[in-house]
């Protein structure tokens, strides 16, 4: 972050001295007193009036004047680049908007018709842009992250031999790493499992009899030794295994109970959400509304978007908790922001017209901005938004249980766990279909070559020719010859999307001046006849402030 | 005698013109070079007339002080002409040169909140690289007085900057 004095100095519009081109003539005129002041004022006055009128459209050295507002805003030039690894997909973002972890992210080709723009706001706005700066000292940053997460630092970060990681720590209770990534640093930490039970103690030594004493008196039995101290209780035995599934009462064999799938992200609530928000604040960031994903049956994954100027950004922190609430692993972005100028934004309604124009450009430039379509349900509106309930101090994460226990005192073996409850009776299996498999039909004859079909994709001026291949005939019914295969070549029709929402956020783009977080409208809608939802992003700055000239590698239509 | 005077004038002009040109250009940016040249020439005319008054060793700040007055006169004459020619026109915001130059919103806001004198002093130091002693020459005050005024103006700028940044 630059100091005030540095920013003031940076505002200097003329860094170098200036000598008029006609300097020698000026000196001659001055010494001859060839000019009087009045003509100077006259020409100055005339030029000044004209220049002020033209100033609104002036672009000098990449600085464009904003008409009528008296402000000068830099033109933001995009740099052709690969994706922003700093916002690498986390577990939660991989699952975002997906009904199940295995659901497929489907890129959609660029052939859209959008409905619903008229229902969106027509009010223009404004928003600042930010320069994204990664912290300079990666080792110190990683140390700070570890401490913020409440983990005792028992080793210091050291340079990694892995070229994709800058610093790594392999502590006794955790491992952690960090790497610089396009304007931000990406950190991750994995904590070790809870400590093992202490070693059982030995029983106290039995007392030794005192040897007889030579005496005229009868020998006296030695005193009994004191009993050794009792060992402390051993660890609790493991819970008994679940009882076997009951046998079906009738019918066929009981079908196996399906494994519970992971749930989609929902609003994160409860102590784990509070804990996650506390971590984000301890890391110095502003948390957004957390979402929660259940991974299998034991882990809870909480994703917390990081806010920029009060709006969610494309950067986030993710925390995975064990079933007992201990932190298992975490990852996220660390960065600093330098606020730049505030730009006028077109309205969300007007931004719809920019989707098709920007989608291809932004995705090819920096990996963001294009449509992502997904099956499943929409992300549930998160509800955990009250940072006030979140502990502020770094000591807040102390509730994390991750310390390994030291060797404990002597202890007896724990009790064996009780047998688990008997499993519920399975549902009756459905009757299997009876019938033997029919004989296999002979292979059909090879189909005739299909006709060549030429179909011009919508919006592409030059028709694309597709050569149909020879299809093998499908297997015919038993004994009969297969029918001749048919050839059908189709291109996707325009995808109609009913837009439903538009929200303001921030996303990272690789600019000529470095990585920046730019305001973004995120549109979501329903694909008509598709049964799934799609989202689109647009940088809603007026076009005169955006320069895509370096976009030298656009992605062809339909190539993704 | 005249040749000696011309040699000194040329030496003073050679040393001071880049700083004078930059000073003027910074304050009427983004107007054309021709406008800057007109005002630089006016400063040089005054320099020739008052060559004997220019203090040795402080030629540059002394002529920046002249340029400051030339620029003020130009603005006054320009504004007077504007008022005369458009007396019935709707009032409009007469943005300062800094308004048109500075893209850093916080810096611009903090400068706008300063008085003209404070802004002059802050920018003479930050943009033109003038020391407190040189600012004293430019403003016609003692070095100590200039140092105090510079310090106070900087404090007010920083205070405004903090308020603008928060707000």
């Amino acid at each position: 972050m630059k100091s005030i004095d540095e920013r003031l100095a940076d505002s200097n519009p003329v860094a170098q001295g200036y000598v008029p081109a006609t300097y020698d003539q000026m000196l001659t005129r001055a010494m001859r007193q060839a000019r009087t002041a009045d003509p100077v004022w006259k020409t100055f006055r005339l030029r000044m009036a004209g220049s002020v009128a033209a100033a609104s459209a002036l672009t000098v050295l990449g600085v464009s004047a904003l008409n009528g507002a008296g402000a000068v805003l830099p033109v933001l030039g995009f740099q052709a680049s690969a994706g922003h690894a700093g916002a690498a997909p986390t577990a939660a973002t991989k699952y975002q908007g997906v009904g199940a972890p295995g659901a497929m992210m489907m890129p959609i080709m660029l052939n859209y018709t959008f409905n619903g723009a008229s229902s969106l706001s027509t009010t223009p706005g404004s928003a600042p842009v930010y320069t994204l700066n990664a912290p300079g000292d990666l080792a110190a940053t990683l140390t700070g992250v570890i401490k913020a997460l409440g983990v005792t630092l028992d080793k210091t970060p050291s340079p990694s031999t892995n070229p994709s990681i800058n610093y790594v720590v392999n502590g006794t209770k955790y491992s952690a790493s960090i790497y610089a990534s396009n304007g931000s640093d990406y950190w991750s930490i994995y904590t070790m499992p809870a400590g093992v039970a202490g070693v059982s103690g030995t029983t106290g030594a039995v007392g030794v009899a005192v040897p007889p004493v030579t005496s005229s008196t009868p020998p006296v039995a030695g005193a009994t030794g004191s009993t050794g101290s009792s060992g402390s209780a051993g660890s609790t035995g493991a819970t008994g295994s679940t009882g076997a599934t009951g046998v079906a009462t009738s019918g066929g064999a009981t079908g196996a109970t399906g494994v519970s799938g992971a749930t989609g992200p929902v609003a994160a609530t409860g102590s784990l959400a509070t804990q996650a928000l506390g971590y984000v604040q301890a890391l110095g960031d502003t948390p957004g509304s957390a979402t929660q994903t259940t991974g299998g049956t034991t882990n809870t994954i909480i994703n917390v978007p990081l806010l920029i100027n009060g709006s969610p950004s494309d950067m986030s922190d993710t925390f995975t908790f064990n079933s007992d609430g201990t932190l298992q692993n975490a990852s996220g972005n660390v960065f600093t922001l330098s606020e730049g100028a505030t730009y006028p934004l077109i309205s969300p309604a007007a931004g719809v017209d920019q989707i098709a124009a920007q989608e291809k450009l932004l995705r090819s430039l920096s990996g963001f901005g294009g449509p992502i379509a997904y099956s499943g349900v929409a992300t549930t509106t998160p509800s955990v938004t009250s940072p006030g309930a979140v502990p502020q101090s770094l000591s807040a994460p102390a509730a994390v249980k991750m310390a390994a226990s030291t060797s404990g005192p002597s202890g007896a073996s724990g009790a064996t766990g009780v047998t688990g409850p008997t499993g519920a009776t399975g549902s009756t299996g459905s009757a299997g279909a009876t019938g033997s498999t029919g004989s296999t039909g002979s292979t059909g004859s090879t189909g005739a070559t299909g006709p060549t079909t030429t179909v011009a994709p919508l919006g592409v001026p030059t028709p694309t020719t597709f050569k149909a291949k020879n299809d093998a005939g499908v297997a015919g019914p038993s004994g009969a010859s297969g029918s001749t295969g048919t050839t059908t070549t189709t291109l996707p029709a325009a995808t109609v999307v009913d837009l439903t929402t538009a929200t303001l956020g921030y996303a990272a783009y690789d600019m000529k001046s470095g990585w920046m977080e730019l305001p973004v409208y995120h549109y979501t809608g329903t694909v008509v006849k598709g049964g799934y939802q799609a989202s689109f992003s647009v940088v809603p700055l007026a076009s005169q402030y955006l320069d895509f000239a370096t976009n030298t590698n656009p992605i062809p239509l339909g190539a993704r | 005698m005249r040749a000696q005077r011309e040699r000194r004038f040329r030496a003073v002009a050679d040393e001071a013109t880049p700083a004078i040109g930059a000073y003027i250009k910074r304050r009427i940016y983004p107007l054309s070079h021709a406008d800057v040249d007109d005002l630089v020439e006016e400063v040089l005319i005054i320099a020739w007339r008052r060559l004997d008054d220019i203090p040795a060793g402080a030629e540059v700040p002394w002529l920046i002080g002249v340029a400051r007055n030339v620029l003020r006169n130009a603005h006054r004459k320009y504004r007077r002409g504007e008022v005369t020619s458009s007396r019935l026109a709707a009032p409009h915001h007469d943005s300062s040169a800094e308004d048109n130059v500075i893209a850093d919103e916080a810096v611009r806001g903090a400068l706008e909140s300063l008085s003209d004198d404070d802004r002059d002093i802050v920018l003479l130091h930050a943009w033109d690289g003038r020391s407190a002693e040189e600012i004293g020459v430019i403003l016609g005050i003692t070095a100590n007085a200039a140092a105090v005024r510079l310090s106070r103006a900087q404090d007010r700028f920083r205070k405004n900057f903090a308020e603008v940044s928060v707000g």
Side-chain angles (χ1 to χ4, degrees), chain A residues 266-294:
Chain A
V266 298
T269 58
S271 61
L272 295 184
T274 301
Q275 197 166 318
L277 295 179
Y279 288 144
V280 174
Q281 290 195 326
L283 288 165
D285 294 317
T286 305
S289 301
T291 56
Q292 179 171 317
T293 306
T294 300

Side-chain angles (χ1 to χ4, degrees), chain A residues 444-450 469-474 482-487:
Chain A
S445 59
T446 301
T449 300
K469 63 181 181 180
N470 292 342
D471 283 357
V474 299
S483 60
T484 301
T486 59
T487 300

Side-chain angles (χ1 to χ4, degrees), chain B residues 8 22 35-36 54 60 63 87 106 116 121 133 154 157 167:
Chain B
R8 188 187 179 219
D35 296 316
V36 177
I54 299 176
V60 175
L63 286 173
R87 192 179 297 277
D116 289 347
I121 291 172
E133 186 176 4
Q154 287 175 324
F157 170 74

Side-chain angles (χ1 to χ4, degrees), chain B residues 45-62:
Chain B
I45 289 171
I46 295 172
W48 173 254
R49 287 177 183 162
R50 301 188 58 185
L51 187 62
D52 297 337
D53 297 330
I54 299 176
E59 291 87 352
V60 175
W62 192 88

Side-chain angles (χ1 to χ4, degrees), chain A residues 233-311:
Chain A
S235 59
T236 303
T239 302
S241 58
T242 303
T245 303
V247 178
T249 54
S250 62
T254 301
T257 302
V259 177
S260 297
T263 62
V266 298
T269 58
S271 61
L272 295 184
T274 301
Q275 197 166 318
L277 295 179
Y279 288 144
V280 174
Q281 290 195 326
L283 288 165
D285 294 317
T286 305
S289 301
T291 56
Q292 179 171 317
T293 306
T294 300
T297 57
T298 57
N299 294 339
T300 298
I301 303 167
I302 293 184
N303 179 255
V304 186
L306 307 181
L307 299 187
I308 294 177
N309 194 32
S311 297

Side-chain angles (χ1 to χ4, degrees), chain A residues 9-454:
Chain A
D10 287 346
S11 298
N12 187 349
V14 184
Q16 304 295 324
Y18 172 75
V19 178
T22 58
Y23 173 62
D24 284 333
Q25 296 168 358
M26 278 185 189
L27 294 183
T28 302
R29 284 197 298 266
M31 287 185 285
R32 292 177 182 171
Q33 298 288 288
R35 290 186 62 181
T36 63
D38 285 343
V40 176
W41 303 138
K42 184 178 179 182
T43 56
F44 172 78
R45 187 164 59 246
L46 291 174
R47 291 199 192 100
M48 190 167 185
S51 297
V52 168
S56 62
L58 189 68
T59 299
V60 177
L61 300 175
V63 176
S64 175
L66 174 60
N67 188 14
V72 179
L73 298 172
V75 174
L76 303 175
F78 287 81
Q79 188 79 272
S81 173
H84 182 214
T90 59
T93 56
K94 285 177 183 173
Y95 298 161
Q96 185 175 7
V98 182
M104 182 183 294
M105 303 287 277
M106 296 187 301
I108 298 178
M109 289 191 290
L110 285 171
N111 190 5
Y112 290 99
T113 298
F114 296 103
N115 297 328
S118 59
S119 66
L120 301 175
S121 171
T122 57
T123 304
S126 64
V129 299
Y130 295 87
T131 298
L132 200 53
N133 301 305
D137 189 339
L138 287 167
T141 300
L142 183 56
T143 299
V145 168
I146 293 169
K147 289 182 177 177
L149 296 179
V151 183
T152 303
L153 185 69
D154 59 359
K155 286 191 177 180
T156 56
S158 58
S160 170
T161 56
N162 185 331
S164 63
I165 297 174
N166 295 101
Y167 280 89
V168 66
V169 181
N170 287 308
T172 57
K173 302 168 186 175
Y174 60 90
S175 61
S177 64
I178 191 169
Y179 63 90
S181 177
N182 301 330
S184 70
D185 292 341
Y186 188 78
W187 58 266
S188 67
I189 181 170
Y190 184 87
T191 59
M192 299 301 164
V196 297
V199 178
S200 298
T202 57
T203 304
V206 176
V208 178
V210 177
V213 178
T214 304
S215 172
S216 59
T217 56
V220 179
T224 302
S226 60
T227 303
S229 60
S230 299
S232 60
S235 59
T236 303
T239 302
S241 58
T242 303
T245 303
V247 178
T249 54
S250 62
T254 301
T257 302
V259 177
S260 297
T263 62
V266 298
T269 58
S271 61
L272 295 184
T274 301
Q275 197 166 318
L277 295 179
Y279 288 144
V280 174
Q281 290 195 326
L283 288 165
D285 294 317
T286 305
S289 301
T291 56
Q292 179 171 317
T293 306
T294 300
T297 57
T298 57
N299 294 339
T300 298
I301 303 167
I302 293 184
N303 179 255
V304 186
L306 307 181
L307 299 187
I308 294 177
N309 194 32
S311 297
S313 72
D314 56 345
M315 291 184 287
S316 63
D317 292 340
T318 302
F319 306 91
T320 301
F321 295 94
N322 294 315
S323 58
D324 61 357
T326 57
L327 183 65
Q328 181 190 82
N329 56 45
S331 60
N333 299 109
V334 60
F335 54 91
T336 58
L337 293 172
S338 300
E339 184 173 340
T342 296
Y343 286 80
L345 305 182
I346 59 177
S347 71
V352 174
D353 293 335
Q354 294 293 313
I355 294 177
Q358 288 191 10
E359 188 278 337
K360 179 178 63 178
L361 293 169
L362 295 180
R363 179 160 290 281
S364 64
L365 286 167
S366 44
F368 291 98
I372 292 295
Y374 46 86
S375 60
V377 298
T379 302
T380 306
T381 302
S383 62
V384 177
T385 57
S386 174
V390 176
Q392 300 282 340
S393 67
L394 291 177
S395 61
V400 180
K401 305 166 187 171
M402 56 182 62
S405 63
T406 56
S407 294
S410 300
S413 298
T416 301
V418 298
T419 302
T422 302
T425 301
S427 60
T428 302
S430 59
T434 305
S436 58
T437 304
S439 59
T440 303
S442 60
T443 302
S445 59
T446 301
T449 300
T452 299
T453 305
T454 301

Side-chain angles (χ1 to χ4, degrees), chain B residues 19-154:
Chain B
I20 295 168
Y23 172 85
I24 293 174
K25 196 174 179 184
R26 288 181 187 113
R27 284 155 181 84
I28 64 171
Y29 183 95
L31 300 186
S32 69
H33 283 181
D35 296 316
V36 177
D37 293 354
D38 280 346
L39 297 175
V40 170
E41 185 167 348
E42 178 61 17
V43 174
L44 293 175
I45 289 171
I46 295 172
W48 173 254
R49 287 177 183 162
R50 301 188 58 185
L51 187 62
D52 297 337
D53 297 330
I54 299 176
E59 291 87 352
V60 175
W62 192 88
L63 286 173
I64 287 178
V66 172
R68 184 167 177 262
N69 291 331
V70 165
L71 195 59
R72 284 185 168 184
N73 286 337
H75 278 298
R76 271 198 296 271
K77 291 188 178 187
Y78 165 70
R79 286 171 184 157
R80 226 166 23 232
E82 276 277 281
V83 171
T84 304
S85 62
S86 57
R87 192 179 297 277
L88 300 179
H92 65 280
H93 173 62
D94 185 15
S95 60
S96 69
E98 291 79 14
D99 287 344
N100 293 321
V101 169
I102 302 171
D104 189 324
E105 294 281 345
V107 171
R108 186 171 65 230
L111 286 173
E112 284 177 348
S113 302
L114 293 176
S115 67
D116 289 347
D117 287 341
D118 279 351
R119 189 187 308 120
D120 270 358
I121 291 172
V122 167
L123 294 183
L124 278 169
H125 181 69
W127 284 5
D128 299 297
R130 297 299 134 191
S131 66
E133 186 176 4
E134 290 175 322
I135 290 173
V137 174
I138 293 169
L139 301 181
I141 59 178
T142 65
N144 284 341
V148 171
R149 286 175 61 174
L150 174 62
S151 175
R152 289 177 179 170
Q154 287 175 324

